Amino acid sequence: MLGYLPRELAKVLAPLLDAHFVECKGFVVGLPEQQLGDVPIQLTCEKCNNDNETYSDLIHRQSLWERFLGAIRNGNLQRPSSARYQANFNMMITDVMANHTHLSSDIETSFLGSFKSLSNDGQRLFVRIYTRKGPWFRVSSISYREISDVEHAAMELKLAGYIYMLSCTDVPSECEMEEILDVLSVPEMKEILKDLLKVNTSCTRRPELLSTLLSITALPKKILKWTGNCIRTSNMADELLWRVQRLFFLNGDQDLSSFLLVDLGLVKFPDYTCNICHRIFKERNDLLEYEEAIRVAQLMDESLDNDNMEMVSRCADLSENRVCTMPTEEDSNLAESPPSFYSCFSSTWVYSKVLTLGVSVYERERRYADAIRILKILLSKIASGRRRGYWTLRLSVDLEHIGRPNESLSVAEGGVIDPCVRAGSKIALQKRVVRLSKPPRRWKVPSYADSLRRNIEEVNIEGRPLNCETGAKSVFYGYDGELCGVEQLALQYYADEGGSWQGTHSEGGIWMTIFGLLMWDVIFSEVCDVFQSKFQTAPLDLETDDFYKSRKGLIESQLKRIQDGLAEEMLITSWELHQGTSCRGINWDRHSMADLRAAVACVGGHRLALLLRHLALDYRSWSSGMPDLLLWRFNGERGGAEAKLVEVKGPRDQLSEQQRAWIFVLMDFGFDVEVCKVSLVSKRR
């Protein structure tokens, strides 16, 4: 399905089709300008003959036909009076200028403010080229039905400083030459080569043609005679609007396409109140430092993708210097500071991500001394970081690599009692302490040693594999003879000889969906500073300790209702009220209402409340690593229901520490949980 007919057309055409007064055929006659842009179509309408038509039918049909022709003549279908994307763009700029005016210089404020004074054509042309892949565009090839005069609009934008323009009298630089050649088609390139070299070229591939053209010294003076005027967004416009989008959406994942998805009805964001009490960036310098850190992080990602280890080291060194010169969190907390969940908008937080990647690179290259130095800096500078568990674990491991087991043990012991170290990282550090604390290093056995040795129920089944390649995902022949993964094989086992269970392979997906539905009113309740724009799918503090602290009363009230057996009713109500609305963790398409109701009913209110409280207390640490399968069954005439959670492991798989941590928690909550190990069918069979 490509989409829908314009409302203005459907309104007058539908009655004619419904009454069988016309037949209509449609053809796609071109491609949209953008991925989600309008698709040009041609409709051919033909009147139907009806011998049994009465006079009143004829009059009615003629009336409908006149309405249809009137809509066509009106021209609304060819040129909208206003462009939605233009209004959205203006709204975004206005919002940022109103709420973040202290972050812009006078020149930047004047520049952004001047956008409002541009003509409609100028504004629309700029938004069109800003959202398209360029960087250069031929003015002669730009055509939008809502822009009446492209050349005049381009000149207006040039004078306002929003675009650069190259005309036939300009000589582009070498860098500009390479970019401008991208606007040419292959036939055009061949024609230019023929004109310049006076011979036909045998080249047919674009890279070869580009290389040949760039080698011709006379090309820069003549290229714009073939392309005509070319335009691109100016550096100032690019930089400022990149900032505007960052400040408006507060992430790097959303952009102007979010408006389009909402306008098309493809995405619906939740209803909530934005109650902003503190500024995310106190001063302009805070924003500039954050932007610099983001650019370093982007360069780090690109360098890793391109295997440019020299640039990776330079990014890590720069990030290390920046973090070293910043005050520790304890020092910065002495003064009045914004909410702790704002920390992800600080340069320190971004640089810590770069350094974490750097540690992985150094470890891979066995540069353990460098990795240890960075890890110690991170742990000393960032007292409440989300990654403290990972940093502490890697520091302990790397110290052991270089033959310093005593220090490795001390680091692990400190990590175990660090309140920021949780879930799988804590289990891993506890296991290191138990292993390293043998006499004479330590004479006393840690108190948690017995807990780590708890027995986890196991079930062993056999599977006939299609492949046995190391590193490849295992594929088996299922009980029905069809190919399937290891989790589907386990589901078939439990549905049959394993106990007539129903279930789903969802890992944590079904639990995140249940959490979102049952805690909807809590998640989107009014709390200061957690909602900053209308394009959020979760509050900013969801993955922090502040989430539970700020809503403790609301959360406990919901959990009490769940514990009292109202979970299924709450689930149905929430589903009916919010179905299709975007919310972090909820997958509307993957989990059916029937499966969700069965899961909630079979798990029981007491255990479900314990699990949801666990997620509310620390959503980030516990939103991954849950068992693969959730199984349930109703006991028929005996009444009652039961649920089971199963972690499935293939022939070469082992439990991760995060999975082990979840299994221990679920056992403590009274869940029936086990590990299903799939081994290869014995050769004797």
Side-chain angles (χ1 to χ4, degrees):
M1 182 180 69
L2 289 172
Y4 303 92
L5 292 178
R7 181 167 38 181
E8 293 83 359
L9 175 61
K11 208 161 48 175
V12 292
L13 183 58
L16 288 166
L17 292 170
D18 291 342
H20 304 289
F21 289 160
V22 297
E23 288 183 349
C24 192
K25 292 181 180 179
F27 303 91
V28 174
V29 295
L31 295 174
E33 291 285 345
Q34 295 174 293
Q35 186 178 3
L36 293 175
D38 293 342
V39 179
I41 60 172
Q42 177 181 314
L43 292 180
T44 303
C45 298
E46 190 174 322
K47 292 183 180 180
C48 299
N49 292 321
N50 187 350
D51 296 335
N52 298 322
E53 188 176 42
T54 65
Y55 178 74
S56 60
D57 290 336
L58 179 62
I59 296 298
H60 180 51
R61 179 169 72 169
Q62 192 61 34
S63 171
L64 293 175
W65 182 251
E66 288 297 332
R67 281 181 59 202
F68 173 62
L69 294 178
I72 300 294
R73 286 192 294 266
N74 197 16
N76 286 339
L77 306 180
Q78 280 71 40
R79 179 170 296 169
S81 58
S82 63
R84 184 74 178 176
Y85 64 84
Q86 176 191 4
N88 291 335
F89 194 82
N90 273 297
M91 187 270 283
M92 181 178 70
I93 291 178
T94 302
D95 181 90
V96 170
M97 290 184 68
N99 295 316
H100 303 281
T101 183
H102 65 293
L103 300 177
S104 298
S105 67
D106 291 342
I107 293 175
E108 292 166 348
T109 300
S110 175
F111 183 84
L112 290 173
S114 68
F115 189 81
K116 283 270 189 184
S117 63
L118 295 173
S119 66
N120 282 332
D121 276 359
Q123 291 186 11
R124 292 168 187 173
L125 177 60
F126 179 79
V127 180
R128 285 291 195 179
I129 64 171
Y130 182 75
T131 53
R132 281 177 58 182
K133 183 180 178 182
W136 289 95
F137 305 93
R138 300 163 85 168
V139 174
S140 60
S141 66
I142 298 175
S143 176
Y144 296 102
R145 66 176 183 268
E146 72 272 20
I147 301 175
S148 58
D149 191 336
V150 171
E151 290 190 3
H152 184 271
M155 187 57 67
E156 180 187 21
L157 290 172
K158 178 187 175 182
L159 293 173
Y162 277 87
I163 65 169
Y164 295 140
M165 180 185 290
L166 288 175
S167 63
C168 58
T169 58
D170 296 313
V171 178
S173 66
E174 184 178 339
C175 178
E176 290 171 337
M177 273 295 303
E178 292 187 34
E179 295 173 342
I180 289 172
L181 286 174
D182 276 340
V183 308
L184 295 171
S185 64
V186 168
E188 285 176 316
M189 290 182 187
K190 294 175 75 173
E191 190 64 32
I192 292 171
L193 281 174
K194 180 182 176 182
D195 185 65
L196 289 173
L197 302 178
K198 307 304 179 185
V199 292
N200 287 322
T201 178
S202 59
C203 296
T204 56
R205 297 177 59 203
R206 189 177 186 87
E208 295 173 358
L209 291 166
L210 283 171
S211 178
T212 305
L213 282 167
L214 288 170
S215 67
I216 301 173
T217 56
L219 185 65
K221 295 180 180 179
K222 297 186 176 182
I223 182 63
L224 290 164
K225 292 180 181 177
W226 280 291
T227 63
N229 291 353
C230 289
I231 60 174
R232 59 159 294 174
T233 55
S234 67
N235 289 341
M236 187 169 188
D238 275 338
E239 290 174 10
L240 288 183
L241 290 166
W242 178 83
R243 176 185 296 171
V244 164
Q245 288 187 97
R246 275 274 176 180
L247 290 171
F248 186 80
F249 293 108
L250 293 178
N251 60 64
D253 300 323
Q254 290 175 297
D255 54 27
L256 287 165
S257 63
S258 297
F259 286 107
L260 179 61
L261 294 173
V262 171
D263 291 342
L264 292 174
L266 299 176
V267 173
K268 181 183 178 184
F269 288 94
D271 293 324
Y272 47 76
T273 301
C274 295
N275 182 9
I276 302 173
C277 306
H278 299 87
R279 291 172 170 173
I280 291 180
F281 300 101
K282 279 189 173 181
E283 301 172 359
R284 174 178 168 81
N285 200 48
D286 297 331
L287 173 64
L288 296 179
E289 289 176 354
Y290 176 65
E291 290 179 345
E292 182 196 62
I294 288 174
R295 292 187 176 96
V296 173
Q298 290 172 338
L299 183 57
M300 182 71 158
D301 289 339
E302 292 169 8
S303 303
L304 286 170
D305 290 341
N306 298 325
D307 202 28
N308 184 348
M309 290 300 109
E310 180 185 353
M311 187 56 70
V312 166
S313 293
R314 289 175 63 184
C315 290
D317 291 343
L318 175 62
S319 301
E320 183 180 346
N321 291 334
R322 291 289 190 270
V323 172
C324 284
T325 58
M326 290 174 181
T328 60
E329 286 189 357
E330 288 90 342
D331 295 336
S332 62
N333 285 337
L334 294 177
E336 185 183 351
S337 57
S340 60
F341 52 83
Y342 278 7
S343 63
C344 61
F345 301 108
S346 69
S347 58
T348 305
W349 188 85
V350 180
Y351 285 130
S352 73
K353 290 184 70 176
V354 176
L355 289 175
T356 303
L357 290 173
V359 166
S360 300
V361 172
Y362 292 153
E363 288 177 335
R364 191 167 64 243
E365 296 177 349
R366 304 198 175 192
R367 294 168 57 182
Y368 297 119
D370 290 327
I372 288 168
R373 184 187 70 256
I374 290 176
L375 288 165
K376 286 184 175 180
I377 291 170
L378 289 169
L379 287 166
S380 66
K381 287 287 185 177
I382 304 174
S384 58
R386 302 175 183 179
R387 307 179 192 90
R388 284 187 65 84
Y390 175 78
W391 297 335
T392 307
L393 177 59
R394 295 318 308 166
L395 179 57
S396 178
V397 170
D398 291 343
L399 286 167
E400 189 177 11
H401 279 317
I402 62 172
R404 290 156 64 178
N406 290 331
E407 189 177 354
S408 173
L409 173 57
S410 297
V411 167
E413 288 175 328
V416 167
I417 60 174
D418 187 333
C420 292
V421 177
R422 303 166 185 176
S425 295
K426 187 167 187 175
I427 294 285
L429 286 166
Q430 287 177 336
K431 290 175 73 174
R432 287 190 64 77
V433 171
V434 170
R435 181 174 64 80
L436 292 170
S437 62
K438 300 290 192 296
R441 290 197 194 100
R442 301 288 187 274
W443 295 95
K444 186 177 179 181
V445 178
S447 59
Y448 43 77
D450 289 339
S451 175
L452 294 174
R453 289 193 288 266
R454 276 187 289 177
N455 180 56
I456 298 174
E457 292 291 328
E458 286 187 6
V459 170
N460 292 280
I461 66 174
E462 291 187 338
R464 186 161 58 95
L466 173 68
N467 62 338
C468 298
E469 298 174 20
T470 303
K473 186 172 176 63
S474 300
V475 179
F476 293 87
Y477 290 97
Y479 284 57
D480 55 3
E482 299 292 326
L483 296 178
C484 64
V486 66
E487 295 86 3
Q488 284 70 35
L489 183 69
L491 277 174
Q492 292 178 21
Y493 162 78
Y494 282 105
D496 188 15
E497 58 189 271
S500 300
W501 294 89
Q502 294 176 271
T504 178
H505 167 219
S506 68
E507 299 177 8
I510 194 167
W511 297 110
M512 297 300 106
T513 296
I514 290 172
F515 179 86
L517 288 170
L518 293 182
M519 291 288 173
W520 189 284
D521 292 340
V522 172
I523 293 169
F524 298 107
S525 59
E526 184 176 346
V527 174
C528 194
D529 294 319
V530 300
F531 294 111
Q532 303 266 336
S533 83
K534 288 296 183 181
F535 292 85
Q536 292 178 226
T537 59
L540 293 178
D541 66 345
L542 176 63
E543 296 188 354
T544 71
D545 293 350
D546 291 319
F547 179 77
Y548 181 85
K549 292 176 185 176
S550 300
R551 306 164 181 80
K552 184 177 179 179
L554 274 175
I555 291 171
E556 291 302 330
S557 175
Q558 288 291 84
L559 295 176
K560 178 67 167 60
R561 296 178 65 202
I562 291 167
Q563 196 163 350
D564 290 344
L566 298 175
E568 194 172 351
E569 179 186 331
M570 293 164 63
L571 188 79
I572 294 169
T573 301
S574 185
W575 178 283
E576 291 176 348
L577 284 174
H578 309 298
Q579 187 177 9
T581 303
S582 297
C583 172
R584 178 93 54 85
I586 294 182
N587 190 325
W588 295 103
D589 299 323
R590 185 172 181 182
H591 309 291
S592 68
M593 187 65 209
D595 284 355
L596 294 170
R597 290 181 65 181
V600 164
C602 294
V603 165
H606 176 70
R607 287 189 292 268
L608 183 59
L610 290 173
L611 190 150
L612 296 183
R613 179 182 290 110
H614 199 64
L615 287 172
L617 283 164
D618 189 0
Y619 190 91
R620 183 179 186 275
S621 297
W622 297 101
S623 58
S624 65
M626 294 191 77
D628 295 306
L629 309 183
L630 171 59
L631 308 175
W632 60 83
R633 64 184 176 191
F634 297 94
N635 296 324
E637 294 179 359
R638 290 180 296 155
E642 53 188 323
K644 181 193 292 283
L645 287 90
V646 181
E647 180 62 43
V648 183
K649 289 298 171 189
R652 296 175 295 273
D653 298 335
Q654 297 291 329
L655 282 176
S656 71
E657 303 306 349
Q658 179 71 10
Q659 291 167 341
R660 194 179 299 275
W662 253 121
I663 289 173
F664 287 160
V665 164
L666 292 168
M667 289 167 61
D668 292 341
F669 290 167
F671 281 84
D672 180 5
V673 58
E674 65 189 29
V675 175
C676 176
K677 291 191 173 181
V678 180
S679 58
L680 305 183
V681 172
S682 173
K683 290 184 179 179
R684 290 176 296 176
R685 292 192 179 184

